[in-house]
Amino acid sequence: MTQAEIKLCSLLLQEHFGEIVEKIGTYLIRTGTQPLRMIVNDTGLLLDQVKKALCVLIQHNLVTYQLQKRGFVEYEAQCKRILRILRYPRYIYTAKTLYNDTGELIVEELLLNGKMTMSAVVRKVADRLTETMEDGKTMDYADVSNTFVRLADTHFVQRCPLVPEPPESPDAPPPPAPTLVINEKDMYVVPRLNLVGKGKRRRSCDEEDNGEHKAKKQKQDGESSEPPPDDGIYWQVNIDRFHQHFRDQGIVSAVANRMDQTSSEIVRTMLRMSEVTTSSGAPYTQPLSSNEIFRSLPAGYNIVKQVLDQYLTLLADDPLEFVGKSGDSGGGMYTVSILCGHLPAPAFPGPFGSRCARIFRLLLRKKHLEQKQVEDFAMIPAKEAKDMLYKMLSENFVSLQEIPKTPDHAPSRTFYLYTVNVPSSARMLLHRCYKSVANLMERRQYETKENKRLLEKSQRVEAILASMQATGAEDAQLQEIEEMITAPERQQLETLKRNVNKMDASENQVDETIFVLESFIESTVRRP
């Protein structure tokens, strides 16, 4: 865990959970596994504060606990999981793309709350969707439930581990910490719920004062005191499944750039057929026959079986090995390589210029080259090539390997070969990406803090305008309220909003690069 990662984790915890949770999370990241007593002593916080903060972190899967042999419980921060908070907007946007607004809100609620029951998610999402609809229209619970089932069927949401049944003997003392278990067969099984109802809108103050409404509210509260039918069955977002989807999209895009659109559609079909049956860490998808692939192609895609076989053969023979052939039954058995080794190598940073990028790609292709060979192949003057190579060498993007002709390592009798250690370069770029995101977050927080008073004034004015519009105020009154913010202040707000939006977009773009680099590094570690 580098300092850049620790700093980014600290910023993410502070932004999403506050100072107390951030303090405890950062302490666990820096010190490793610790018992409750040590956390209280070293952080200087109250015992109740530490317990509540740990509950929040455990609820969101950011901290795990383990019962030690001596009988006490130790807590450990999950740094990689904390860094995934940066990717929450991408998870939510993907759910919106695949399952519309309902899927978006389901994933958003689960990410905001960590773990929730299906019935609670359905009611909350239905209420939120009803709020956005026109008067007289409501969202049915059944529609939200159907979307939830589709998310579970495609493994985008999964069940949380449960506390096992207590022992039959009542005299046995309970353990200091429960051991949560889950049967893999039940991870995506949705309980049968008969959720009948529609989303509700928020009541106005006048309606709240109405006695009849109060009676109805009390009646509803009395009914809701009973536990829901799925009480104890909690759900969470399956982050690995989203990463699998991102990786599949990257593979399809790489095939489209390498081959053509038809090849990418064939690979997309193969990935879609095996998206549920293939685990996120598997090097290949499950073998699929040519006949199965042909039957699963999109309905409007006019391609004959013979042409499909030619495309599959072409993909299998490609040096990048997007597709592999594993047998001849069923017209040929094919798999998709998902180790991400064929994803683009770490992109060369812009500050060094296009010529350095040319040298970097040349070394990736040729593996080892002398300085003179670099000059000739890259068609760059000797002095410039030398400066660029030394600049990249000083930044550890390239390395220098000495191959002596004689045992004395005399410079005149030694070959000096430049090469690229791709995993090392990827790790260094990943470190820089973490540092960049942390800088962006700090800058965004600084900009917001500097303009805090102006933002609060703008929010007050907007609240006044909203209340006056609801009561039917005249245009002259509304204009008078709007003029409370002067022209320079309005311009300053627009500049702030534009800058914050740019920084938010930059964070998301850097996170996409982080995902590619992490996938590349993990694939090189898993590759035999």
Side-chain angles (χ1 to χ4, degrees):
M1 181 61 59
T2 63
Q3 290 298 319
E5 289 175 282
I6 294 173
K7 183 179 179 181
L8 181 55
C9 287
S10 176
L11 288 169
L12 288 169
L13 288 174
Q14 184 177 13
E15 186 171 283
H16 289 81
F17 301 103
E19 292 183 3
I20 295 177
V21 174
E22 179 269 328
K23 188 173 184 179
I24 292 174
T26 306
Y27 169 78
L28 289 175
I29 292 170
R30 292 186 182 276
T31 59
T33 307
Q34 295 290 343
L36 179 62
R37 178 175 55 83
M38 289 297 296
I39 299 173
V40 174
N41 290 340
D42 293 345
T43 58
L45 297 171
L46 298 175
L47 177 62
D48 189 52
Q49 290 178 321
V50 175
K51 286 183 177 180
K52 289 180 179 178
L54 287 173
C55 285
V56 171
L57 291 167
I58 293 171
Q59 172 78 7
H60 289 268
N61 300 316
L62 306 179
V63 163
T64 57
Y65 60 86
Q66 188 173 5
L67 181 62
Q68 299 300 317
K69 294 180 179 178
R70 287 183 289 177
F72 60 87
V73 180
E74 288 188 334
Y75 300 89
E76 182 181 6
Q78 301 298 309
C79 306
K80 293 297 181 184
R81 182 61 181 78
I82 294 172
L83 292 173
R84 295 296 168 263
I85 297 175
L86 189 65
R87 209 163 289 161
Y88 279 7
R90 197 174 175 192
Y91 300 148
I92 295 170
Y93 179 74
T94 301
K96 180 182 177 68
T97 305
L98 297 175
Y99 300 101
N100 300 323
D101 293 342
T102 308
E104 173 194 11
L105 292 182
I106 290 173
V107 171
E108 184 180 338
E109 285 296 329
L110 288 173
L111 289 174
L112 286 174
N113 295 279
K115 303 178 181 71
M116 293 180 73
T117 60
M118 177 181 172
S119 56
V121 173
V122 169
R123 290 190 179 93
K124 188 72 178 290
V125 171
D127 291 347
R128 289 183 61 181
L129 288 170
T130 301
E131 288 286 339
T132 62
M133 291 181 172
E134 298 176 0
D135 291 340
K137 293 184 179 180
T138 56
M139 172 58 70
D140 200 303
Y141 287 170
D143 295 336
V144 182
S145 298
N146 292 336
T147 305
F148 193 99
V149 171
R150 290 167 60 198
L151 282 164
D153 289 342
T154 50
H155 297 186
F156 283 105
V157 296
Q158 63 184 9
R159 282 194 186 190
C160 301
L162 303 172
V163 179
E165 293 292 332
E168 296 181 0
S169 58
D171 299 333
T179 302
L180 304 179
V181 294
I182 184 71
N183 188 347
E184 290 188 6
K185 294 181 180 179
D186 298 333
M187 285 184 70
Y188 307 103
V189 176
V190 180
R192 293 184 178 180
L193 302 177
N194 188 20
L195 294 174
V196 180
K198 297 179 182 293
K200 301 176 180 62
R201 299 180 187 273
R202 293 179 184 175
R203 307 292 182 180
S204 64
C205 297
D206 296 337
E207 290 175 328
E208 291 290 346
D209 294 337
N210 190 306
E212 181 182 355
H213 174 69
K214 282 186 176 181
K216 289 182 180 179
K217 191 172 187 295
Q218 289 173 359
K219 184 179 178 181
Q220 289 172 357
D221 291 341
E223 293 174 353
S224 63
S225 62
E226 299 178 4
D230 62 339
D231 186 36
I233 302 176
Y234 288 89
W235 293 81
Q236 62 187 356
V237 173
N238 185 3
I239 287 179
D240 290 337
R241 178 65 182 88
F242 276 98
H243 290 175
Q244 182 183 343
H245 177 77
F246 299 155
R247 182 202 61 209
D248 292 350
Q249 294 296 104
I251 293 172
V252 171
S253 177
V255 172
N257 293 333
R258 175 77 175 180
M259 304 284 191
D260 60 4
Q261 194 62 37
T262 304
S263 300
S264 68
E265 193 60 44
I266 292 171
V267 173
R268 187 196 304 274
T269 302
M270 295 174 68
L271 291 169
R272 188 172 61 249
M273 292 170 66
S274 58
E275 63 183 359
V276 176
T277 58
T278 304
S279 63
S280 58
Y284 300 97
T285 60
Q286 295 294 327
L288 301 168
S289 69
S290 175
N291 296 329
E292 290 176 323
I293 299 170
F294 180 71
R295 289 194 296 268
S296 300
L297 284 171
Y301 218 76
N302 297 323
I303 180 173
V304 296
K305 179 68 167 56
Q306 184 179 1
V307 175
L308 173 64
D309 292 337
Q310 292 174 352
Y311 268 106
L312 289 171
T313 303
L314 186 65
L315 286 164
D317 293 340
D318 189 85
L320 294 182
E321 299 178 350
F322 290 107
V323 173
K325 191 171 183 179
S326 59
D328 295 321
S329 59
M333 302 295 291
Y334 296 91
T335 60
V336 179
S337 173
I338 54 178
L339 270 181
C340 295
H342 49 262
L343 288 176
F348 199 76
F352 292 95
S354 59
R355 291 194 172 189
C356 280
R358 190 192 310 172
I359 294 174
F360 188 79
R361 287 194 297 266
L362 179 65
L363 290 172
L364 283 175
R365 190 178 299 113
K366 299 292 186 179
K367 306 298 183 185
H368 296 85
L369 288 176
E370 291 185 281
Q371 182 176 319
K372 183 67 170 65
Q373 292 175 309
V374 171
E375 298 166 7
D376 295 340
F377 283 125
M379 295 182 289
I380 296 175
K383 186 176 183 301
E384 291 185 23
K386 181 179 179 181
D387 292 341
M388 293 174 186
L389 284 169
Y390 287 172
K391 185 186 296 184
M392 289 189 287
L393 185 64
S394 65
E395 295 288 343
N396 296 321
F397 280 103
V398 301
S399 56
L400 193 61
Q401 184 175 353
E402 297 181 4
I403 303 179
K405 296 179 184 178
T406 56
D408 59 355
H409 284 262
S412 60
R413 293 184 294 275
T414 301
F415 292 110
Y416 294 95
L417 301 179
Y418 288 95
T419 186
V420 175
N421 185 342
V422 178
S424 176
S425 299
R427 290 187 180 91
M428 183 178 57
L429 284 173
L430 184 60
H431 172 76
R432 292 191 174 194
C433 287
Y434 287 138
K435 195 172 181 180
S436 298
V437 175
N439 291 341
L440 284 167
M441 291 184 67
E442 284 186 324
R443 184 65 192 180
R444 175 162 50 80
Q445 291 174 1
Y446 172 79
E447 291 282 350
T448 307
K449 187 177 179 181
E450 286 293 304
N451 297 275
K452 184 178 179 180
R453 290 186 178 180
L454 184 58
L455 288 171
E456 290 175 350
K457 180 180 178 181
S458 174
Q459 290 172 356
R460 287 197 301 271
V461 170
E462 288 176 0
I464 294 171
L465 283 172
S467 63
M468 292 183 68
Q469 286 173 349
T471 56
E474 298 179 357
D475 293 340
Q477 294 175 316
L478 296 175
Q479 186 176 359
E480 185 179 349
I481 298 298
E482 289 177 355
E483 289 175 355
M484 291 173 63
I485 298 180
T486 62
E489 288 177 335
R490 199 174 298 280
Q491 186 177 359
Q492 189 176 350
L493 281 171
E494 289 295 326
T495 303
L496 175 63
K497 184 179 179 181
R498 185 168 58 252
N499 291 340
V500 169
N501 289 340
K502 281 183 180 179
M503 285 182 275
D504 285 337
S506 299
E507 287 177 30
N508 294 330
Q509 289 172 355
V510 176
D511 180 65
E512 291 180 12
T513 305
I514 288 174
F515 175 74
V516 173
L517 292 171
E518 286 179 341
S519 302
F520 182 85
I521 292 169
E522 288 174 8
S523 69
T524 56
V525 171
R526 289 201 302 262
R527 191 180 301 160

